[in-house]
Amino acid sequence: MQFDLLIKGGRVIDPASGLDAPRDIAVADGRIAAIEATIDSETAGEVVDASGCIVTPGLVDLHSHVYWGGTSLGVDADRLAAKSGTTTFIDAGSAGAGNFLGFRRHVIERSKVRILAYVNISFAGIFGFAETVSVGECSDLRLCEPRETVAAV
C-alpha cells in the first residue's frame, strides 16, 4: 500500500485504545491508515522522523477564551492550535447574549480548529481586564439576565 505520509518512531499515546508505545503511523487521504511497530519508509511519499516526540490524537483545551479581538483575554485559536496540538477549544464564556453572534460569525465560523462555546450569563460577556482596568463581567448585576442568555442560545 502507498501512503501520503509516514510518521516514524514517535511515542504514540492514545488513551482511547490504551496505546503508549513507539510506533509508526501511516496517513493516506488525510486519515490514519496504519499504526504499526514498523512501517517501511519506501511505502510513503513523505516521511517525518518523530523520534523523541510524542504523537497523540488532537488535544482539547477545556477552558479557553478565544474571542480574539472581542475581549482582552482572547487568543487566536488557529495560531495557538498550530503550536500546541490542540484541535478543539472550549470557550468558557467570552461572549454573552449581546455579542455572541459576532463571536460566532467572526471567530468560530472562520476558525480552522473546532470551537465550542459557553454563553456567558453577562450580556456583554467578559470584559475589562488589563493592567490598569479590572472590571468583572458580573460587577453590575444588571448585566446578568438569564432570559437574554437563553434567547441567545
Side-chain angles (χ1 to χ4, degrees):
M1 178 172 205
Q2 186 65 22
F3 303 113
D4 302 320
L5 173 67
L6 180 60
I7 303 168
K8 291 216 42 97
R11 177 181 170 195
V12 176
I13 301 175
D14 181 7
S17 67
L19 180 61
D20 183 353
R23 292 287 186 269
D24 291 351
I25 299 175
V27 178
D29 297 321
R31 297 195 161 284
I32 304 277
I35 301 175
E36 303 291 339
T38 303
I39 300 173
D40 184 5
S41 295
E42 300 298 317
T43 62
E46 180 182 356
V47 178
V48 174
D49 181 7
S51 302
C53 297
I54 293 175
V55 181
T56 185
L59 303 173
V60 177
D61 186 329
L62 297 172
H63 184 137
S64 64
H65 292 285
V66 293
Y67 193 177
W68 186 87
T71 174
S72 58
L73 297 177
V75 298
D76 183 331
D78 287 335
R79 188 171 175 195
L80 186 59
K83 296 179 180 183
S84 67
T86 304
T87 58
T88 302
F89 290 90
I90 311 296
D91 185 274
S94 295
N99 56 2
F100 190 80
L101 292 177
F103 178 40
R104 188 175 75 195
R105 173 157 307 154
H106 300 295
V107 176
I108 295 172
E109 291 175 1
R110 294 179 183 192
S111 179
K112 293 176 186 164
V113 299
R114 184 176 183 213
I115 297 173
L116 304 174
Y118 290 107
V119 179
N120 198 314
I121 195 169
S122 171
F123 189 78
I126 59 172
F127 65 91
F129 295 101
E131 192 172 310
T132 58
V133 176
S134 183
V135 179
E137 66 269 26
C138 296
S139 294
D140 184 337
L141 293 179
R142 294 175 298 172
L143 291 171
C144 300
E145 178 49 65
R147 291 174 291 224
E148 293 290 335
T149 306
V150 169
V153 171

